[in-house]
């Protein structure tokens, strides 16, 4: 199988750059475990070079009109759509996610993001405030050089979610993808250059934590946007705080999906499947604590088991495949350790629960029932296809239990009683909520968490506020008064 080896590891100032002195990062296809290429981590001088390129490109890029920047972002979206199949195949090689998923949920959603902020770029304006004879106005200005740090579950989508609003506001960016999935961010850099972005506007450096730390610590970086785990987020936030940098943190979760007796059962089962097994369970907003009201529990579990056991697990390049492998052997081992904890703690295994023999990092989608709030599988983020089903009786009870967590990224409610649904989402401590749906994240809707699940919001107009700042100007048109 071919297609994983890039021209070079990094993309800086409009060109591919290599740094063979950096640590080698193997490019492994998760479906087979084969190593199909390699990149090298950026050493501190390479990170500094990328920041220099972004800093040098900043004056020219920010001086463009919003419409000019928007046309470039829109053209990049068009190019991505034209190359969606090739980009999706590359994303599948990098992540192991099925092609049936990457064709619709990865590069395509990145294109939606570029198009959305491309259209918004010309509308980024200040406001005028009349103050009697005087008045004031505001100018919305870019922050400067922004650092983006991505995760391995949605590589090109996350790169676009960070780059598009940043560039629309007139910032430049240095982006570090996850060391597990380094490839499609490089393709995005190529496409932005082809679409007309000047060299240095969007740069990519590879590496793990040391590379990210060098990027965050650079005093020329004004803003850091991270998608990652809570422990990583705490480290990055602490480092950014030393220089009082702007931050956006989209971190992990242990989100509740609450299903009442009156819910439409097929829709509820579909949502539970999407909230736990899409991307082989490797989604931060997944609703992994599925609270099912007692009257619906047995019917729900029966139908859930039937549909889960019918899932097609196999070759990610076969568009008939529903579930691919985990990202790595290490991540599969973590998931298997949580399955063992669930069994040890007394949860009832409904289906799944084991690795799948053969090459690659495949695992059965797993459902536990009779889970209690104190079990590790109900409290800790697993980041794999493990669903915990918990019983509840009353609305007040489930609200209290759903909120009893350090996380607050997402939540979902299924019920035909819309008054109850709206009442529930107001009471749930989560930044992103769904009613009778789950895990849809259109670019037009802000996305982010509360509590330990993050700071700030991505997408929608909220992202413009995250990547720009207002300058206030008071204009005096009357005589200046003084005490003497």
């Amino acid at each position: 199988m071919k297609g994983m080896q890039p021209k070079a590891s990094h993309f800086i100032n409009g060109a591919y750059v290599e740094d063979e002195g950096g640590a080698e990062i193997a490019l492994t296809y998760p479906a087979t475990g084969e190593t199909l290429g390699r990149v090298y981590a950026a050493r501190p001088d390479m990170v500094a070079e990328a920041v220099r390129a972004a800093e040098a490109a900043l004056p020219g890029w920010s001086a463009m009109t919003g419409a000019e920047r928007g046309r470039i972002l829109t053209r990049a979206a068009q190019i991505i759509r034209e190359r969606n199949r090739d980009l999706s195949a590359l994303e599948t090689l990098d992540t192991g996610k099925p092609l049936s998923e990457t064709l619709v949920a990865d590069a395509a959603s990145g294109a939606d993001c570029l198009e959305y902020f491309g259209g918004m770029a010309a509308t980024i304006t200040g406001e005028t405030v009349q103050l009697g004879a005087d008045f004031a106005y505001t100018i919305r200005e870019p922050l400067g050089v922004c650092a983006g740090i991505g995760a391995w579950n949605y590589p090109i989508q996350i790169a676009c979610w960070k780059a598009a609003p940043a560039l629309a506001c007139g910032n430049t960016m240095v982006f570090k993808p996850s060391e597990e999935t380094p490839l499609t961010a490089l393709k995005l850099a190529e496409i932005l250059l082809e679409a007309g972005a000047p060299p240095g506007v969007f740069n990519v450096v590879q590496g793990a934590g040391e590379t990210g730390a060098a990027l965050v610590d650079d005093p020329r970086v004004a803003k850091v946007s991270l998608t990652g785990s809570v422990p990583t987020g705490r480290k990055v936030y602490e480092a950014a705080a030393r220089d009082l940098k702007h931050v956006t943190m989209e971190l992990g979760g242990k989100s509740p999906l609450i299903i009442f007796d009156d819910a439409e059962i097929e829709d509820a089962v579909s949502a539970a499947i999407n909230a736990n097994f899409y991307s082989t369970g490797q989604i931060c907003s997944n609703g992994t604590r599925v609270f099912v009201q007692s009257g619906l529990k047995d019917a729900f579990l029966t139908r859930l088991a039937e549909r889960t056991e019918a899932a097609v697990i196999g070759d990610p390049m076969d568009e008939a495949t529903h579930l691919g492998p985990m990202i790595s052997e290490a991540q599969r081992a973590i998931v298997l350790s949580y399955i063992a904890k669930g069994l040890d703690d007394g949860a009832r295994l409904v289906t799944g629960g084991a690795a799948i023999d053969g090459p690659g990092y495949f695992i059965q989608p797993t459902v536990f029932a009779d889970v209690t709030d104190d079990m590790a599988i109900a409290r800790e983020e697993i980041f794999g296809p493990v669903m915990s089903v918990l019983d509840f009786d009353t609305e007040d009870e489930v609200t209290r239990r759903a909120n009893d967590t350090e996380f607050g990224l997402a939540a979902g409610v299924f019920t035909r009683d819309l008054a109850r649904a709206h009442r529930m989402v107001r009471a749930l401590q989560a930044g992103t909520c769904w009613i009778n749906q789950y895990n849809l994240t259109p670019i037009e809707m802000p996305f982010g968490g509360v509590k330990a699940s993050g700071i700030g919001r991505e997408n929608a107009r909220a992202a413009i506020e995250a990547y720009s700042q207002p300058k206030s100007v008071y204009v005096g048109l009357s005589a200046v008064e003084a005490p003497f």
Side-chain angles (χ1 to χ4, degrees), residues 377-412:
I377 58 172
R379 300 206 67 80
E380 299 173 21
E381 185 176 34
I382 300 172
F383 223 65
V386 180
M387 183 191 308
S388 295
V389 179
L390 304 93
D391 307 357
F392 78 93
D393 292 314
T394 69
E395 179 181 327
D396 288 345
E397 171 207 345
V398 76
T399 301
R400 174 183 53 78
R401 292 169 61 197
N403 287 336
D404 183 19
T405 173
E406 67 172 320
F407 301 106
L409 184 54

Side-chain angles (χ1 to χ4, degrees), residues 99-357:
L99 189 59
S100 60
E101 178 180 331
T102 58
L103 282 169
V104 298
D106 290 76
S109 66
D112 290 344
C113 182
L114 288 162
E115 184 176 58
Y116 177 83
F117 286 107
M120 187 175 285
T123 72
I124 300 172
T125 60
E127 60 180 350
T128 301
V129 181
Q130 196 65 42
L131 300 168
D134 297 347
F135 70 96
Y137 65 92
T138 62
I139 304 167
R140 189 154 284 277
E141 297 183 332
L143 302 177
V145 176
C146 298
I149 301 176
W152 43 258
N153 53 348
Y154 281 86
I156 195 168
Q157 182 199 73
I158 291 171
C160 290
W161 277 21
K162 297 184 188 307
L167 270 54
C169 291
N171 303 284
T172 56
M173 176 166 279
V174 180
F175 184 79
K176 189 201 82 66
S178 167
E179 66 274 20
E180 300 277 6
T181 52
L183 298 180
T184 49
L186 294 170
K187 291 297 183 183
L188 176 61
E190 284 184 29
I191 288 169
L192 284 166
L193 186 72
E194 181 181 343
V201 166
F202 183 75
N203 309 273
V204 177
V205 293
Q206 309 291 355
E210 290 182 2
T211 303
L215 181 57
V216 173
D217 288 340
D218 194 301
R220 295 166 295 183
V221 169
K223 157 91 182 193
V224 178
S225 178
L226 167 77
T227 298
S229 68
V230 173
T232 299
R234 288 192 171 111
K235 292 177 184 176
V236 171
Y237 194 20
E238 180 181 4
R242 286 195 290 267
D243 291 328
L244 299 179
K245 300 179 192 289
H246 299 260
V247 295
T248 298
M249 298 278 153
E250 197 271 279
L251 307 177
K254 192 70 181 177
S255 300
L257 172 57
I258 300 167
I259 300 169
F260 285 91
D261 285 347
D262 66 342
E264 207 294 317
I265 190 167
E266 288 299 319
D267 284 346
V269 170
S270 293
I273 288 171
N274 290 339
N276 285 271
F277 303 142
Y278 202 67
S279 293
T280 319
Q282 300 164 113
I283 301 177
C284 54
S285 56
N286 269 356
T288 51
R289 292 185 295 149
V290 181
F291 291 90
V292 182
Q293 200 163 20
S294 300
L296 191 65
K297 172 189 169 182
D298 290 342
F300 175 86
L301 286 172
T302 298
R303 190 67 184 118
L304 175 65
E306 291 171 351
R307 290 179 58 180
T308 300
E309 289 164 5
V312 178
I313 306 170
D315 179 6
M317 288 297 181
D318 184 343
E319 290 185 49
T321 295
H322 298 136
L323 273 79
M326 304 295 300
I327 186 69
S328 65
E329 180 58 47
Q331 186 62 27
R332 183 171 69 169
I334 290 171
V335 174
L336 290 171
S337 73
Y338 274 104
I339 291 172
K341 287 179 184 178
L343 293 170
D344 289 344
D345 287 345
R348 175 165 60 93
L349 183 65
V350 175
T351 188
I356 296 174
D357 292 337

Side-chain angles (χ1 to χ4, degrees), residues 10-53:
H10 319 292
F11 197 94
I12 297 172
N13 204 29
Y16 276 97
V17 181
E18 195 52 274
D19 184 9
E20 293 186 359
E24 182 177 308
I25 300 170
L27 305 179
T28 303
Y29 182 36
T32 64
E34 297 174 89
T35 297
L36 300 179
R38 62 185 51 80
V39 295
Y40 297 91
R43 290 178 292 178
D45 59 342
M46 187 65 70
V47 174
E49 181 59 34
V51 176
R52 275 194 296 272

